[in-house]
């Protein structure tokens, strides 16, 4: 409905241009918002006030002119002027009911699909030298929820798991792997079952043995030179490391697959060419033996230019080099219209610099959008980055194990007579969903406090509350199995029916807001509000005990659409639903 009003206003602006009220080249930024007070209608715009200067008329006069020029619409019951020139739109109840009716039979719940784009989403990106830890959670699940929503809206989405599978640390890892294979044969694979321990053992050997350190450096050179023996060791290590990652993805319900892995190593062959191309354009400078690029827009507090280091003095490449190669690949090979990078906010300056340089060097097409969709940190209840009691990094799998245990205790306390297999399955869904939702429901740009007690609460904006809300709606249909709704019609008579219907009609707008800026918390907030609206509706409007058959059927359709919207919304967040809790 919001997009429909925006379309009416766009047509009005075109009419104004033809009448000479505004210049023919005028570009209006039309904004339509939901009203907070229903006495002011359903939607409102401040367009008249925005046009005052260019049209040289006062806002209320312009508001009336806009209303007089608006194309007729069966969706709009009336339009009023408020205050200094706001225009309030009252949506026709019958039009809203028809929109909801169509949403029930639509593949996409009546959501209008935007112009299709090819969108590359770079997310998760763990370092294969270590196991995934809690620091990887936000990138992984925020990126995955946005990916799901983009695909739901019809875009071609290309997942890119830019794993850290290259670099000097792999020399010592391969050297230890080589030693273990020589001593234990194929059983050496078992030593890699705990990557953290393996990494620590390799570091100890590197620090204590000159011979080992020399061999590690030799293996780095051989790996970068394409030596087949070295690459075989490296592939074996990566395979075991990726198995760890994908076990976690499966448990989290994340849609990344092996086919989506396109790590740093994928761009190794292009790094020298990146340097050559920058040099050919006269962009490279030398600083202490390193090859760097200075850009006027980036300076430190003293006003000195900040470098983007492309190649170290010893010939080594950096993250900026591989990121530039990746951008060129995503633009020229994948043909991306848009690239979204779900990476920690602390990398903001890095991405500002490399995005700017990629455009300057024409590594990406001018129209391609490069977006760093950064996120804050997940902190413990002491307000500091989440750590173990001993101060170490928390493995992601350990966090999920703890969530499972706590969820099982919670579910068992509410269902003491339920069989163990059912309890375990419900607890699995509740535990994983609670961890994910606790993160996704927070604005990604903010730090947040992780609390098991809060995330497992059945009150407030939590996964257990929403999962229970869905089972409550689904439960209505378990008691209404003999009711035929094939000819039923939605009729909005009671105020609470209208409120629920209005909220249901906002689903498409919410997905647009979520995907435009990569903000899953927008969808979380909407689902919480929808569940709350349904609760108010259910208390005020008897469904199965409605006064008439037509009223009962209408309310059942509203309940059905609510259930479909909740289930779809939660699935876009990567969260399973339950039929009972």
């Amino acid at each position: 409905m919001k997009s429909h009003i925006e379309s009416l206003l766009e047509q009005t602006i075109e009419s104004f241009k033809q009448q000479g009220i505004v210049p023919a080249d005028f570009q209006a930024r039309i904004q339509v918002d939901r009203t907070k007070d229903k006495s002011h209608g359903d939607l409102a715009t401040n367009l008249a006030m925005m046009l005052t200067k260019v049209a040289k008329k006062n806002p209320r006069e312009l508001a009336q002119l806009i209303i007089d020029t608006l194309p007729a619409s069966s969706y709009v019951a009336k339009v009023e002027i408020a205050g200094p020139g706001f225009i309030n739109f009252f949506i026709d109840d019958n039009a809203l009911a028809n929109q909801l009716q169509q949403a029930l039979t639509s593949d996409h719940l009546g959501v209008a699909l935007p112009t299709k784009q090819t969108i590359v989403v770079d997310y998760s990106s763990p370092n294969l030298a270590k196991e995934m830890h809690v620091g990887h959670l936000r990138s992984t699940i925020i990126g995955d929820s946005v990916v799901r929503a983009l695909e739901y809206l019809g875009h071609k989405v290309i997942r890119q798991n830019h794993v850290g599978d290259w670099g000097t640390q792999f020399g010592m890892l391969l050297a230890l792997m080589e030693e273990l294979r020589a001593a234990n044969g194929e059983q050496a694979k078992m030593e890699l079952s705990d990557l953290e321990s393996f990494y620590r053992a390799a570091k100890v050997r590197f620090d204590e043995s000159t011979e080992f350190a020399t061999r590690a450096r030799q293996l780095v050179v051989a790996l970068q030179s394409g030596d087949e023996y070295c690459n075989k060791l490296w592939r074996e290590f990566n395979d075991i490391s990726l198995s760890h990652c994908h076990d976690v993805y499966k448990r989290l319900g994340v849609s990344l697959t092996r086919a989506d892995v396109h790590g740093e190593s994928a761009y190794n062959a292009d790094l020298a060419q990146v340097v050559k191309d920058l040099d050919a354009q006269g962009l490279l400078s030398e600083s202490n033996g390193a090859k760097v690029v200075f850009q006027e827009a980036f300076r430190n507090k003293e006003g000195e230019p900040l470098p983007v280091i492309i190649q170290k003095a010893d010939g080594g490449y950096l993250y900026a080099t591989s990121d530039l190669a990746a951008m060129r690949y995503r633009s020229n090979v994948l043909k991306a219209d848009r690239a979204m990078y779900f990476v920690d906010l602390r990398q903001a300056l890095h991405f500002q610099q490399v995005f700017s340089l990629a455009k300057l060097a024409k590594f990406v097409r001018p129209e391609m959008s490069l977006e760093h969709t950064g996120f804050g940190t997940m902190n413990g209840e002491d307000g500091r980055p989440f750590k173990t009691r001993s101060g170490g990094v928390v493995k992601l799998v350990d966090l999920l194990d703890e969530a499972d245990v706590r969820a099982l205790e919670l579910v068992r306390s509410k269902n003491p007579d339920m069989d163990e297999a059912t309890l375990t399955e419900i607890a699995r869904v509740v535990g994983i969903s609670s961890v994910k939702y606790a993160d996704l429901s927070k604005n990604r740009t903010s730090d947040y406090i992780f609390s098991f007690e809060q995330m497992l609460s059945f009150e407030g904006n939590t996964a257990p509350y929403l999962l229970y809300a869905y089972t409550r709606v689904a439960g209505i249909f378990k008691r209404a199995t003999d009711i035929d709704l094939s000819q039923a019609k939605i009729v909005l008579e009671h105020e609470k029916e209208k409120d629920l219907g209005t909220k249901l009609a906002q689903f498409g707008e919410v997905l647009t807001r979520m995907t435009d800026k990569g903000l899953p918390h927008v969808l979380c907030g909407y689902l919480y509000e929808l569940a709350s609206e349904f609760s108010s509706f259910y208390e005020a409007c008897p469904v199965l005990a409605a006064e008439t058959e037509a009223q009962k059927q209408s309310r059942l359709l509203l309940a059905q659409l609510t259930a479909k919207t909740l289930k779809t919304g939660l699935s876009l967040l990567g969260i399973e639903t339950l039929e009972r809790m």
Side-chain angles (χ1 to χ4, degrees):
M1 201 64 70
K2 185 176 175 181
S3 60
H4 176 70
I5 300 301
E6 289 171 346
S7 175
L8 296 179
L9 293 171
E10 286 170 0
Q11 293 176 59
T12 301
I13 294 295
E14 287 304 313
S15 179
F16 280 4
K17 289 179 180 180
Q18 293 171 14
Q19 297 175 54
I21 297 172
V22 299
D25 61 351
F26 176 69
Q27 297 295 319
R29 181 177 173 271
I30 296 172
Q31 184 172 331
V32 176
D33 298 305
R34 294 274 170 189
T35 60
K36 294 180 180 178
D37 185 345
K38 287 297 180 183
S39 66
H40 295 156
D42 300 287
L43 297 162
T45 183
N46 64 348
L47 180 61
M49 288 177 280
M50 292 176 60
L51 294 179
T52 297
K53 287 186 178 180
V54 69
K56 299 178 181 177
K57 298 179 185 294
N58 73 62
R60 286 189 67 90
E61 180 186 357
L62 267 173
Q64 188 59 57
L65 193 56
I66 290 171
I67 292 173
D68 293 341
T69 311
L70 274 173
S73 171
S74 61
Y75 290 101
V76 181
K78 64 176 179 177
V79 187
E80 292 181 348
I81 302 172
F86 290 102
I87 302 173
N88 296 336
F89 296 85
F90 294 77
I91 302 303
D92 184 86
D93 291 340
N94 291 330
L96 177 58
N98 290 337
Q99 181 184 357
L100 300 175
Q101 193 91 33
Q102 292 169 12
L104 270 170
T105 57
S106 163
D107 290 339
H108 286 79
L109 294 174
V111 174
L113 302 184
T115 302
K116 183 177 177 179
Q117 289 185 308
T118 296
I119 304 174
V120 168
V121 183
D122 183 323
Y123 69 108
S124 192
S125 308
N127 186 337
L128 296 191
K130 300 179 182 179
E131 286 188 50
M132 291 182 72
H133 57 77
V134 293
H136 296 116
L137 179 67
R138 301 209 77 184
S139 174
T140 303
I141 62 174
I142 295 173
D144 202 57
S145 65
V146 173
V147 157
R148 291 169 182 269
L150 287 167
E151 287 183 329
Y152 185 81
L153 292 175
H155 296 294
K156 177 185 177 182
V157 180
I158 303 174
R159 295 161 174 80
Q160 293 282 272
N161 195 354
H162 190 84
V163 297
D165 63 352
W166 206 245
T168 55
Q169 77 271 27
F170 279 87
M172 67 181 191
L173 294 168
L174 297 184
L176 181 59
M177 193 169 177
E178 185 180 56
E179 280 191 353
L180 290 171
R181 279 175 53 130
N184 305 314
E186 289 303 310
Q187 290 183 357
K189 290 184 179 181
M190 300 301 293
E191 301 289 340
L192 279 166
S193 59
D194 185 337
L195 284 170
E196 295 293 325
S197 297
F198 188 86
Y199 183 87
R200 285 194 296 270
K203 185 70 169 65
V204 168
R205 290 284 292 126
F206 186 87
D207 292 339
E208 70 182 12
S209 169
T210 303
E211 184 180 351
F212 182 92
T214 300
R215 180 56 179 158
R217 294 188 182 98
Q218 290 173 345
L219 287 171
V220 171
V221 174
L223 178 64
Q224 293 176 341
S225 302
D227 178 79
E228 183 49 39
Y229 164 76
C230 208
N231 269 269
K232 183 176 182 297
L233 276 180
W234 173 78
R235 285 193 298 269
E236 186 177 330
F237 180 86
N238 280 0
D239 185 61
I240 296 168
S241 301
L242 282 170
S243 294
H244 280 274
C245 295
H246 286 275
D247 285 345
V248 174
Y249 294 153
K250 183 178 180 180
R251 191 168 174 186
L252 277 171
V254 167
S255 61
L256 285 168
T257 68
R258 286 291 186 98
D260 302 316
V261 173
H262 209 79
E264 294 173 17
S265 62
Y267 306 103
N268 184 57
D270 193 38
L271 300 185
Q273 192 62 47
V274 166
V275 177
K276 289 180 181 178
D277 291 345
L278 291 173
D279 194 28
Q281 295 183 59
L283 295 172
L284 281 183
S285 300
E286 187 173 308
S287 177
N288 298 321
K291 294 180 180 179
V292 305
V293 175
F294 292 106
Q295 299 177 88
E296 279 297 318
F298 301 97
R299 294 179 175 273
N300 61 20
K301 293 179 181 179
E302 288 72 39
E304 300 167 337
L306 292 170
V308 178
I309 303 174
I310 303 299
Q311 190 172 25
K312 295 187 293 185
D314 64 4
Y317 302 107
L318 290 98
Y319 288 127
T321 328
S322 57
D323 279 340
L324 288 168
M327 287 176 216
R328 176 151 67 180
Y329 171 79
R330 292 166 183 182
S331 176
N332 300 339
V333 178
L334 299 182
K335 306 296 183 184
D337 300 301
R338 183 183 182 193
M340 304 176 76
Y341 290 73
F342 287 90
V343 182
D344 194 319
L345 274 172
R346 288 171 290 189
Q347 299 299 317
L349 177 61
H350 165 78
F351 281 107
Q352 289 170 17
Q353 288 182 288
V354 293
F355 287 170
S356 174
L357 180 53
K359 293 281 188 179
L360 180 66
K362 296 182 175 59
F363 284 178
V364 300
R365 304 186 318 282
E367 67 275 13
M368 180 179 171
S369 176
L370 297 169
E371 305 164 29
H372 174 212
T373 36
F375 50 84
T377 58
M378 173 178 139
N379 296 326
E381 296 193 55
D382 59 358
R384 299 177 179 179
F386 203 77
K387 300 283 186 181
T388 63
R389 289 182 179 177
S390 62
V393 176
V394 179
K395 293 181 183 179
L396 189 46
V397 69
D398 290 341
L399 180 77
L400 300 182
D401 286 344
E402 178 74 9
D404 278 353
V405 170
R406 289 177 181 251
L408 184 58
E409 291 174 358
L410 174 69
V411 175
R412 182 179 284 121
S413 71
K414 293 184 176 295
N415 303 277
D417 300 323
M418 187 177 284
D419 66 275
E420 195 65 20
T422 305
L423 279 173
T424 301
E425 176 58 17
I426 292 175
R428 179 191 67 80
V429 174
V430 171
I432 295 295
S433 298
S434 296
V435 169
K436 296 178 73 171
Y437 194 86
D439 191 301
L440 295 171
S441 60
K442 310 300 188 299
N443 190 323
R444 66 165 168 79
T445 62
S446 303
D447 298 343
Y448 79 98
I449 302 295
F450 183 89
S451 166
F452 277 114
E453 182 178 349
Q454 186 179 50
M455 78 179 196
L456 288 167
S457 173
F458 273 85
E459 296 179 0
N461 189 13
T462 66
Y465 174 82
L466 284 175
L467 291 173
Y468 179 71
Y470 174 77
T471 62
R472 189 181 182 191
V473 183
I476 295 173
F477 292 92
K478 292 178 181 177
R479 305 192 303 274
T481 54
D482 59 341
I483 299 176
D484 181 9
L485 297 176
S486 60
Q487 301 301 314
K489 296 292 181 184
I490 294 176
V491 180
L492 304 176
E493 298 173 329
H494 193 283
E495 196 61 34
K496 291 300 180 182
E497 292 174 331
K498 295 175 186 178
D499 289 345
L500 178 58
T502 299
K503 183 59 65 176
L504 285 165
Q506 295 172 21
F507 186 55
E509 299 168 23
V510 169
L511 292 188
T512 298
R513 286 175 56 207
M514 173 192 177
T515 54
D516 278 354
K517 299 295 183 182
L519 297 170
H521 81 279
V522 171
L523 176 56
C524 294
Y526 168 79
L527 295 176
Y528 176 61
E529 291 170 4
L530 176 60
S532 299
E533 287 287 2
F534 181 83
S535 181
S536 297
F537 155 80
Y538 191 66
E539 290 175 10
C541 303
V543 178
L544 298 180
E547 294 178 1
T548 67
E549 186 65 21
Q551 190 180 65
K552 177 170 67 174
Q553 292 183 358
S554 172
R555 290 174 178 175
L556 278 170
L557 290 182
L558 283 173
Q560 187 179 72
L561 184 55
T562 300
K564 288 182 70 173
T565 305
L566 284 172
K567 186 169 186 173
T568 300
L570 288 169
S571 73
L572 296 181
L573 295 171
I575 291 175
E576 296 179 60
T577 48
L578 294 161
E579 296 303 315
R580 60 183 294 201
M581 281 183 73

